């Protein structure tokens, strides 16, 4: 958390490509050994780590914020960050259950997994 905070504080504008690299190659990606898994991770980061993930409005003025356009999962938009507690409550109560659809896959992908066990 401190590395990310310090990195973001050093720039006036959010360095989106740098953030994707840090998450995809440094923080998490260093643990990925399979090439196709790395490609999948990189693709998810390209889709999710971009300006549309943030609330609309003037980022310096929270009263002007509106929900972002980007959905993190079908029907699940990032909340407007008012407090840590409200973010935690939103995630605990609104996060959709894990399913292939949440990850952008066809609903039948789960059937394939369940029938192979």
């Amino acid at each position: 958390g401190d590395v990310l905070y310090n990195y973001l504080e050093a720039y006036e504008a959010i360095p989106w490509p740098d953030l994707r690299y840090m998450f995809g190659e440094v923080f998490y990606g260093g643990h990925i050994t399979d090439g196709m898994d790395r490609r999948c991770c990189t693709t998810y980061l390209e889709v999710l780590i971009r300006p549309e993930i943030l609330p609309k409005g003037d980022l310096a003025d929270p009263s002007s914020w509106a929900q972002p356009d980007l959905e993190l999962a079908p029907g699940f938009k990032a909340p407007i960050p008012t407090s840590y507690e409200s973010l935690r409550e939103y995630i605990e109560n609104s996060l959709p259950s894990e399913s292939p659809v949440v990850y952008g896959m066809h609903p039948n992908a789960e059937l394939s997994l369940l029938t192979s066990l």
Side-chain angles (χ1 to χ4, degrees):
D2 291 336
V3 172
L4 181 60
Y5 175 81
N6 291 335
Y7 189 83
L8 290 173
E9 287 296 309
Y11 292 92
E12 196 166 308
I14 297 172
W16 296 102
D18 294 353
L19 292 179
R20 285 190 291 271
Y21 178 81
M22 288 173 60
F23 283 109
E25 301 293 334
V26 179
F27 297 145
Y28 177 73
H31 301 283
I32 300 174
T33 57
D34 182 75
M36 291 303 287
D37 289 345
R38 180 174 304 284
R39 183 176 175 186
C40 182
C41 176
T42 302
T43 301
Y44 278 129
L45 291 173
E46 287 174 4
V47 169
L48 294 173
I49 306 297
R50 57 186 204 203
E52 296 87 0
I53 199 170
L54 296 176
K56 294 183 279 186
D58 180 6
L59 293 179
D61 179 15
S63 66
S64 73
W65 292 353
Q67 274 210 308
D69 293 326
L70 182 66
E71 288 186 336
L72 300 173
F76 183 69
K77 291 188 176 192
I80 295 175
T82 54
S83 70
Y84 174 78
E85 187 60 37
S86 69
L87 288 173
R88 193 177 66 114
E89 183 177 323
Y90 182 81
I91 291 167
E92 287 177 359
N93 296 325
S94 302
L95 189 66
S97 60
E98 282 195 23
S99 73
V101 174
V102 171
Y103 299 103
M105 297 192 272
H106 191 276
N108 288 344
E110 190 170 30
L111 294 175
S112 176
L113 170 68
L114 295 175
T115 58
S116 68
L117 296 177

